[in-house]
Amino acid sequence: MSSFDWIRWAGVLLLGLLGFSCSQSSGYEPQVHRLVPGWGLTTAPVSGVIEGENFLVLPTQNVGGGDAVTVDSDFDAFLGPHALDDVTWTDTRTLRIQIPEGLAPGWYPLTVVTPLGGRVELPQAYYASDRPLASLTAQGFVERPRLWPDEQTHLVLTVHNPGGTRALGVRALLRPVEAGSVELLSAPEPEPLDVEPGGYASFSWKLAARAKGTVHFALELQGREEITGQALQAAPLQALQVDVRARPSSTLLVSPQVVNVNQPFTLTLRVTNDSEVRLQDVKPSVPSVEGVSVALPPAPLPDHVDLEPQESRDFVWLALATTPGEGFFKVSLAGTDALTGGAVPIAEATSPSFTVLKRGELKARFSQLPSSVRVGEVFTVEVSVDNLGQSEVRGVVLDGEGLAQGSQGCQVWMVSGPMPRMADLPGGQGTVFRAQLQASQPGSCSFRVGARGQDATDGLPVVAPLVTSANVPVTR
């Protein structure tokens, strides 16, 4: 470089330095924002960083040998009256420092002096402590992480403060990571708690299972240290999982649904294991019945079963209703989860309603007879047959030959009938059978007849007892 070029370059640099120096009093004053960390133990040196703005160095022009320009980056830093060693300029926003051990416990202001003569202070910048300050650790667990529908559980978060000062206003927030089949019954954020030095605190949430599925819950924990006010936060907690299993289902059927008193019928309970785990020792309770009286055996066949996933089995009772009416059954169930050994809730099963009838009962009577007849005269005899029961009697006919025979010493002939030949009689109803007869000789006639049919409900025969008519005189 020529002498002329050197002189021109030095002049430009000098003008720049003069302008830069002037700017120190017009918006480029040094500023200190914070000292990181804001506290430390007095038993060992602490490495720290002063964060701020306008940490400007001082360039110096050298004339006559050596470096043309040198930079003065010597900053001084003080904690109260204590000068800090190893203050290192990193950039215009950062100074690195070393805080010595042995400081008396308490708060210290920070003072920074720049190479340009600037001086800035930050009160209560650093707290020297003879014991660790509060910090938070947390551990969460679910009391029962696998639920059946409508069961409840608790999610518990245990918080520990291993430090030597209190953690104030510790807050815990529970939130589901995704929508699912578990309902949060308590507030997502319980009341804040203070945790004493070395102490523990617990937060709890109540959860209810609603439908099959899996839900992941995340936990957030926040608080502040009592002396420095420093924000405290537990390390990220792993999401907790709650599984809701499918509940075993059951159906209860009565067959047939219409029976007579003392007619046997079956009560069938079908249990289906809709879950993904094996169910052991599934047992029904003794069925309860409402509306009618029913006799049942002490236990069904079989009396207990083990069910693999997606398997169905039947429990069967042979029942006998002893009173007429309309009723229904209820049966509760219990089983054991093969995975956990815990009881499995199975919803109570209710049967459709069934009807018990008084079986059909026939009664016959002579409802019309002539007071007397002449030989060769055609006359009418009527027999009324009534069903005194509730169950229909089908195929009712007059029973016996009594109309055609007459009594001893009486000769009669069937001219026509009886009509109708056959009838179906619902419960509480009746019909009249009519026949026309003719007497062939004088004397005195009486008739003996009954009725028979089949009960429509149980299929068994129904017979009316034979009845005898009054005497009918026959004259010439």
Side-chain angles (χ1 to χ4, degrees):
M1 179 183 296
S2 66
S3 298
F4 177 77
D5 291 335
W6 170 254
I7 294 172
R8 185 176 63 177
W9 181 84
V12 171
L13 177 62
L14 182 59
L15 290 174
L17 292 175
L18 290 174
F20 191 63
S21 177
C22 292
S23 68
Q24 295 293 296
S25 60
S26 58
Y28 287 92
E29 296 85 355
Q31 299 179 24
V32 174
H33 297 326
R34 61 176 182 166
L35 172 58
V36 181
W39 77 279
L41 293 174
T42 60
T43 55
V46 177
S47 297
V49 174
I50 300 174
E51 296 179 354
E53 295 182 26
N54 300 327
F55 294 157
L56 303 177
V57 297
L58 177 62
T60 301
Q61 178 185 1
N62 298 316
V63 180
D67 294 332
V69 177
T70 57
V71 176
D72 183 1
S73 59
D74 292 334
F75 285 76
D76 293 322
F78 301 86
L79 282 180
H82 304 284
L84 303 181
D85 298 329
D86 300 327
V87 180
T88 304
W89 179 85
T90 300
D91 54 42
T92 58
R93 296 175 179 269
T94 309
L95 299 176
R96 296 192 176 277
I97 62 170
Q98 189 79 5
I99 301 171
E101 62 180 313
L103 295 179
W107 281 104
Y108 288 86
L110 172 66
T111 303
V112 175
V113 179
T114 73
L116 298 176
R119 185 182 183 91
V120 61
E121 293 187 1
L122 181 65
Q124 283 199 326
Y126 183 80
Y127 184 79
S129 179
D130 56 359
R131 53 184 171 167
L133 299 189
S135 61
L136 297 177
T137 63
Q139 184 175 6
F141 69 95
V142 181
E143 289 179 345
R144 296 183 60 196
R146 304 193 72 188
L147 305 175
W148 299 100
D150 298 329
E151 284 189 326
Q152 296 182 1
T153 188
H154 285 86
L155 189 154
V156 180
L157 177 66
T158 301
V159 181
H160 178 48
N161 172 15
T165 59
R166 290 195 302 168
L168 303 179
V170 177
R171 303 167 53 211
L173 176 65
L174 177 71
R175 58 181 177 85
V177 176
E178 72 283 328
S181 52
V182 175
E183 180 182 354
L184 179 61
L185 299 182
S186 50
E189 184 176 346
E191 290 295 321
L193 298 174
D194 295 342
V195 185
E196 298 297 323
Y200 292 84
S202 292
F203 298 92
S204 178
W205 295 265
K206 182 184 289 187
L207 307 174
R210 295 301 180 218
K212 180 181 178 181
T214 300
V215 182
H216 293 84
F217 288 91
L219 289 162
E220 297 179 3
L221 191 65
Q222 298 176 346
R224 59 185 176 85
E225 199 276 327
E226 69 170 328
I227 296 176
T228 65
Q230 176 184 355
L232 302 177
Q233 187 170 7
L237 297 171
Q238 184 177 2
L240 300 172
Q241 176 177 311
V242 181
D243 291 329
V244 182
R245 307 176 217 180
R247 166 178 283 175
S249 60
S250 60
T251 56
L252 187 61
L253 298 176
V254 175
S255 180
Q257 284 186 252
V258 180
V259 295
N260 285 337
V261 173
N262 294 325
Q263 176 187 348
F265 64 98
T266 57
L267 175 65
T268 302
L269 174 66
R270 172 161 291 185
V271 183
T272 301
N273 181 8
D274 301 312
S275 70
E276 294 78 22
V277 297
R278 186 170 184 263
L279 297 181
Q280 295 177 329
D281 201 24
V282 177
K283 290 183 179 180
S285 66
V286 176
S288 64
V289 63
E290 295 186 19
V292 295
S293 177
V294 176
L296 287 168
L301 293 174
D303 61 351
H304 72 281
V305 297
D306 293 339
L307 292 176
E308 299 296 332
Q310 311 308 316
E311 183 183 8
S312 296
R313 294 286 297 275
D314 290 344
F315 296 93
V316 180
W317 292 262
L318 187 62
L320 200 71
T322 57
T323 59
E326 187 169 291
F328 61 91
F329 288 98
K330 289 184 176 181
V331 178
S332 58
L333 287 157
T336 301
D337 180 352
L339 184 65
T340 65
V344 176
I346 306 175
E348 183 180 60
T350 302
S351 74
S353 61
F354 64 95
T355 303
V356 182
L357 302 175
K358 180 183 177 182
R359 75 183 313 270
E361 179 183 352
L362 296 179
K363 183 177 182 180
R365 60 186 175 86
F366 287 92
S367 56
Q368 181 176 323
L369 282 172
S371 57
S372 65
V373 297
R374 294 178 180 274
V375 173
E377 178 186 354
V378 177
F379 60 95
T380 300
V381 175
E382 292 184 355
V383 180
S384 294
V385 179
D386 296 312
N387 180 5
L388 304 182
Q390 296 174 317
S391 179
E392 182 181 27
V393 181
R394 294 175 181 169
V396 177
V397 296
L398 292 182
D399 190 21
E401 301 295 333
L403 286 179
Q405 283 183 335
S407 58
Q408 186 177 5
C410 177
Q411 294 288 330
V412 295
W413 305 93
M414 184 77 69
V415 176
S416 65
M419 293 297 292
R421 293 180 57 84
M422 182 181 293
D424 295 337
L425 297 183
Q429 297 189 23
T431 191
V432 176
F433 293 88
R434 293 178 177 85
Q436 290 190 324
L437 306 175
Q438 187 180 42
S440 61
Q441 66 180 29
S444 178
C445 292
S446 64
F447 306 96
R448 187 173 176 80
V449 72
R452 57 185 169 82
Q454 185 180 51
D455 189 293
T457 302
D458 60 23
L460 299 176
V462 180
V463 178
L466 294 174
V467 294
T468 302
S469 70
N471 289 325
V472 179
V474 180
T475 62
R476 288 187 182 274

